[in-house]
Amino acid sequence: MKPSFAFLLLMLGAVMDVQPTQEKASLLYPYGLDQRDHKNPKLDDGTSKKLSLAVPFTFYGKKYQTLYVNNNGVISFDTRVNQYTPDPFPLADGRPFVAPYWADVDNVLGGDVFYRETTDPTLLTRITKNINQYFPKIPFAAMWAFVATWDRVAYYGSTTNKGNTFQAILTTDTKTSFIILNYWDIQWTTGAASDGDPETGLGGTPAHAGFNSGDETNFYNIPGSQTEAIINITKTSNVNVPGRWVFQVDDFKETGVPTKVPKVADSNNCWL
């Protein structure tokens, strides 16, 4: 059990809800209350309720119709993931999940976790256009999407106002499934309970990004995971769009040539 850091709210002040700027629209898909998103409770290591999907989503060859949006940067199928310090993949414990940015988020100290299931034609058209651009040999027209966004979320034990903004989109045409991961602003890698520095959000056991099927053989680790270089994920990609990673996940395929992870020259750098 981690000690409470709720008193830090008094020190840091309230964090206001701010909708995405026009600049963000170039990478992030629309999110927020004006998109009729739901919000996760303000709870350290919390999750959404169990969400029943209108359309089954195929992940590593298996169809799932329930998922959880976990505050700690994970979307999991059929079971919650409250764990705050990430483990390297594969995890052969039967837990299938995607980890956009698995780390110790504390939305009590700052930020919000949004999610929605949608068949909005405008959004589906945009997603389809993007997928067709990245995978021109795969016929695909999105019929459904699930959008989860971690908006300026703080880290556990933080004594700063640093926040991370990233997003995961699940989409399918009922046969082929894709996941799009967008990284807009990453300012921290590690919570204090994972041996991170409360003043920087760095060090300790850094965040992990990738996919885990729940068995010993089917998994993917995005380069830089669980190293200090993960803070540069906004600059990397497998589809030549900095900050965006896209994968076909019904029958998982590693796609494209990932860009080289930039080195972190100085761990004392201030990431604004």
Side-chain angles (χ1 to χ4, degrees), residues 126-163:
R126 180 176 168 187
I127 290 173
T128 297
K129 181 179 179 181
N130 289 151
I131 297 295
N132 292 164
Q133 176 185 353
Y134 309 140
F135 300 83
K137 296 182 180 180
I138 301 176
F140 182 79
M143 295 180 61
W144 169 94
F146 186 90
V147 182
T149 308
W150 287 257
D151 181 48
R152 298 175 297 111
V153 289
Y155 57 93
Y156 177 79
S158 173
T159 59
T160 74
N161 61 357
K162 288 185 176 184

Side-chain angles (χ1 to χ4, degrees), residues 27-263:
L27 183 71
L28 298 178
Y29 297 100
Y31 70 91
L33 298 180
D34 61 345
Q35 299 296 321
R36 299 184 179 179
D37 277 1
H38 302 279
K39 281 203 305 184
N40 272 11
K42 296 282 190 179
L43 180 65
D44 180 40
D45 302 329
T47 75
S48 68
K49 64 181 181 180
K50 184 177 183 178
L51 304 174
S52 297
L53 305 179
V55 175
F57 186 79
T58 305
F59 183 66
Y60 280 108
K62 296 181 180 179
K63 291 184 180 295
Y64 297 96
Q65 206 148 354
T66 63
L67 58 73
Y68 295 88
V69 179
N70 304 275
N71 286 358
N72 289 335
V74 171
I75 296 176
S76 54
F77 300 99
D78 293 346
T79 185
R80 293 180 174 88
V81 176
N82 300 97
Q83 184 177 335
Y84 53 86
T85 299
D87 286 322
F89 299 155
L91 298 177
D93 57 8
R95 292 184 297 172
F97 60 89
V98 53
Y101 199 81
W102 187 12
D104 198 358
V105 169
D106 189 350
N107 65 344
V108 177
L109 294 181
D112 288 297
V113 182
F114 294 101
Y115 64 87
R116 75 181 181 280
E117 188 177 18
T118 181
T119 55
D120 174 66
T122 301
L123 179 63
L124 295 183
T125 297
R126 180 176 168 187
I127 290 173
T128 297
K129 181 179 179 181
N130 289 151
I131 297 295
N132 292 164
Q133 176 185 353
Y134 309 140
F135 300 83
K137 296 182 180 180
I138 301 176
F140 182 79
M143 295 180 61
W144 169 94
F146 186 90
V147 182
T149 308
W150 287 257
D151 181 48
R152 298 175 297 111
V153 289
Y155 57 93
Y156 177 79
S158 173
T159 59
T160 74
N161 61 357
K162 288 185 176 184
N164 288 346
T165 299
F166 56 95
Q167 187 177 65
I169 295 87
L170 284 58
T171 186
T172 185
D173 63 1
T174 71
K175 293 182 179 179
T176 306
S177 301
F178 289 92
I179 291 180
I180 302 171
L181 304 178
N182 294 324
Y183 300 93
W184 175 253
D185 189 19
I186 299 297
Q187 300 183 354
W188 61 266
T189 65
T190 321
S194 304
D195 297 324
D197 186 334
E199 295 182 359
T200 65
L202 305 175
T205 304
H208 195 98
F211 299 85
N212 189 68
S213 71
D215 62 33
E216 295 180 351
T217 56
N218 297 297
F219 65 97
Y220 180 76
N221 297 309
I222 289 180
S225 288
Q226 288 199 286
T227 75
E228 60 182 2
I230 195 66
I231 201 165
N232 289 315
I233 199 168
T234 58
K235 302 174 185 178
T236 65
S237 177
N238 66 334
V239 292
N240 295 315
V241 179
R244 175 170 287 175
W245 291 75
V246 187
F247 300 90
Q248 181 183 348
V249 298
D250 52 289
D251 179 16
F252 190 92
K253 295 179 176 65
E254 185 175 342
T255 305
V257 179
T259 52
K260 188 175 181 179
V261 178
K263 293 181 179 179

